[in-house]
Amino acid sequence: MISQLKSLLNYKELLLNFAKKELKVKYKNSVLGFFWSLLNPILMMLVFTFIFTFIFPRYPDIDVVPIFFLAGLLPWNFFNSSVVGATTSIVGNSALIKKVYFPRELLPVSVTMANLVNFTLELLVFVGFFLVFAMFNSRFLDFYKYFPYLLLLVPILFFFTLGLSLLVAALNVYFRDIQHVVGILLMVLFYSTPIIYPISFVPGGKIGFLYRLNPMTTIVSSFKNALFYLTSPSLNFVLYSAGSAIVMFLFGYYIFLRLEPEFAEEV
Amino acid sequence: MPDIWKKSTEPEGEKPTVIEAKGVWKEFKIYHERNPSLKETLLKGRRSAYESFWALKDVSLKIKQGTTVGFIGENGSGKSTLLKLLTKILRPNKGSISMHGKVSALLELGAGFHPELTGKENIFLNGSILGLSRKEILERLDEIIAFSELEKFIDSPVKNYSSGMYVRLGFAVAINVEPDILLIDEILAVGDEAFQRKCLNKLYDLKEQGKTIVIVSHALDSIRNICDEAIWLEHGEIKGSGRAPSVVDAYLDEVNRQEEAAAGETDQPETGSRWGSGEVKITSVRFLDKEGQKKSLFITGEPFLVEIDYEAKEEISRPVFGVAIYSRDGTHINGTNTKFDKTIFDKIKGWGTVRYEIKELPLLKGSYALSAVVYDYSCLHAFDHHERGYLFNVSSGEISDYGVFNIPCTWSLKE
Ligand SMILES: Nc1ncnc2c1ncn2[C@@H]1O[C@H](COP(=O)(O)OP(=O)(O)OP(=O)(O)O)[C@@H](O)[C@H]1O
Ligand SMILES: [Mg+2]
């Protein structure tokens, strides 16, 4: 695996091209370009804000609802669209896979990278939101103090996402219905991750323990600490997140490399 | 079959081997259903049953730097599979492959392009797949576009390209990235005439620059002309290898033999028409070489023998036997008979054989049809006429002339 990683260095140009291609194809034929991709979390944020402001009673300890939602939706969106994109990244590029050789992992990696670019841009837009909301609620003036946590959290999220992406990309070559399974699992995961509700809603005890075993729970709630609550994420959560990211990455990559030699025959 | 790989070590021993395959086996699994679903697999506890199919069996080869090699063989013989193994797209089940140098490949109908991207964007994508940096690609961009002659379409998505345009772009990229080794599968067939010539010229250029080229093609003429060596694959095994013209001839010979075998034992005409009153019947027509062995592929300049068996039910006096040769496009190349050639058979009865012999066959490469006829002395009444009923092929061998005939000639310079 190490030597494989080293040989990837020779292909960084190609990786960049793939990632660019990914972004280009995504934004092709759309004038709004990047703003389309931003629109998705913002629309979701507006919908949830509407629902939880007017239909259900407001969450008790949440002062600025839109930021509360965005803080969870942005990392989730990165995770979700990376995994969805990666699932079909190998089968969807059969023309390339059958005709030219390159390390196949470049495809799911480039999907994740392209989404990372998006995510980064979205985080920058997020800063704009902070500045706007800081006018209403002065506690957001302090946001920059907690922003550096992202330097830790984003890589953790990245590697966790990448590991899962490699796994599903490879499995989907062999079992095409993985695509549908992934869609359903992502939906389940969305509701079992503290995105649209605070983690404090989750009961303790056995259920709470099981709930916290989901790495996305610890990752997303750490993001919420840094972006919404403006507090330091809990050390336990960060350590658990980092650990599961490493395990997920190694496991996903290992499976990918095991299955990779036969991709050209199976796609 | 001569083994060129051993022979060629003598004169050009200095050239290093750049492509080597040792005992390569490749298996394909043929699943009964193509993409098994996860549900079924979980229920059955295994993937669905498959048959294994060995597309390549114990293939070994060595190609030296600067040689141009053609892979030939019938459909499904494993040529494309072998190329894909050389490019690492497929991995062998057994055996090993080593390649030295930058490899650029153009496999069956176009390189790997992304349909949504424009021609230009695909040049960058493909260039970087071949390991070029952005700068290197930019340097070559104009040349690539010019070679492909797709200036007008270079900014539209390749999904709108015709298959010929696809190949143009693919070929332009593949050769302009300055590879050490160029692998090409069946591309010459798709481009139009002008582009095919351009490609051939470019291939000759690359050959002169000492690049190693491997071509898979059914255009045996091109193989014979461009390639130094050829490898003939049959059912995944190397059936022959050596100098290109002799391997191509051996292959053609085999194809003809099989065609004959498939046509059955009888030499009755399967093509052409037949008429006549039937007092004399032509029962069989055979093509023979000088040793009297049956064959249907002749080399220009070889002796060419035709034996015509006949059966005369009654006594016929002064019959006239004739043959005529036609090219595939229907041109009547020659017609002659025993009367023209002043060979009069007084009378015939019962079975017999007439021999027609050309000492040195002047025909050049191509397929030909022969008519065999027997008439009465006036040549107005047909006893039996087989019009273009018998087919044979000619291979030019060492002669490179174009056309139908080999016309011996000399050239000189007068100052
Ligand atoms: N991905 C695959 N899965 C299953 N069988 C395959 C696969 N690829 C090739 N084959 C089989 O392997 C054999 C060799 O195929 P290959 O494409 O190498 O033939 P070829 O010599 O290139 O033929 P052609 O002259 O038609 O191009 C064929 O019988 C083909 O059906
Ligand atoms: Mg082929």
Side-chain angles (χ1 to χ4, degrees), chain A residues 13 17 174 177 260 265, chain B residues 26 38 47 91 128 134:
Chain A
E13 187 83 20
N17 262 323
Y174 290 83
D177 46 359
E260 187 218 299
E265 292 155 52
Chain B
K26 179 67 201 169
L38 184 60
R47 286 194 75 183
R91 310 258 173 105
S128 56
R134 197 181 160 74

Side-chain angles (χ1 to χ4, degrees), chain A residues 264-265, chain B residues 28-30 34 53 55 73-82 108 185-186 216 218:
Chain A
E265 292 155 52
Chain B
F28 285 119
K29 298 182 171 118
I30 316 284
R34 192 65 188 102
F53 170 80
E74 58 186 26
N75 293 135
S77 54
K79 305 180 296 294
S80 302
T81 306
L82 185 51
E108 292 165 328
D185 194 346
E186 278 310 342
V216 171
H218 293 288

Side-chain angles (χ1 to χ4, degrees), chain B residues 79-242:
Chain B
K79 305 180 296 294
S80 302
T81 306
L82 185 51
L83 274 203
K84 285 185 184 169
L85 285 164
L86 294 183
T87 52
K88 292 207 286 188
I89 293 173
L90 298 176
R91 310 258 173 105
N93 297 71
K94 263 186 263 173
S96 67
I97 288 173
S98 57
M99 306 277 286
H100 303 282
K102 188 159 78 180
V103 181
S104 169
L106 195 53
L107 301 179
E108 292 165 328
L109 294 190
F113 288 141
H114 194 282
E116 294 292 335
L117 297 183
T118 68
K120 198 183 269 171
E121 287 161 350
N122 267 303
I123 294 177
F124 280 96
L125 187 63
N126 251 281
S128 56
I129 286 175
L130 295 168
L132 294 193
S133 69
R134 197 181 160 74
K135 204 172 123 249
E136 287 171 306
I137 301 171
L138 268 176
E139 281 165 13
R140 293 168 174 78
L141 189 61
D142 291 336
E143 210 176 324
I144 294 177
I145 298 175
F147 190 90
S148 69
E149 298 169 22
L150 293 170
E151 287 87 353
K152 268 192 238 151
F153 303 93
I154 205 66
D155 288 313
S156 51
V158 299
K159 65 179 173 189
N160 300 336
Y161 282 20
S162 73
S163 47
M165 288 159 71
Y166 224 80
V167 169
R168 276 166 179 257
L169 191 62
F171 192 78
V173 177
I175 56 167
N176 280 302
V177 297
E178 286 165 27
D180 303 314
I181 302 174
L182 182 63
L183 308 172
I184 308 175
D185 194 346
E186 278 310 342
I187 48 130
L188 299 173
V190 185
D192 57 28
E193 184 63 28
F195 192 71
Q196 281 188 26
R197 287 188 199 162
K198 198 165 160 182
C199 291
L200 285 179
N201 283 335
K202 189 72 196 182
L203 287 181
Y204 277 115
D205 283 355
L206 292 173
K207 207 173 132 95
E208 240 150 59
Q209 292 165 25
K211 311 278 179 180
T212 311
I213 307 176
V214 176
I215 304 174
V216 171
S217 181
H218 293 288
L220 296 176
D221 260 349
S222 322
I223 297 276
R224 199 199 296 270
N225 287 328
I226 306 177
C227 297
D228 308 311
E229 289 159 11
I231 294 179
W232 168 18
L233 284 172
E234 192 174 276
H235 303 307
E237 286 168 288
I238 293 188
K239 180 105 183 242
S241 61

Side-chain angles (χ1 to χ4, degrees), chain A residues 62-76:
Chain A
I62 291 170
D63 44 4
V64 182
V65 185
I67 293 213
F68 171 79
F69 285 131
L70 271 184
L73 283 172
L74 290 189
W76 172 263

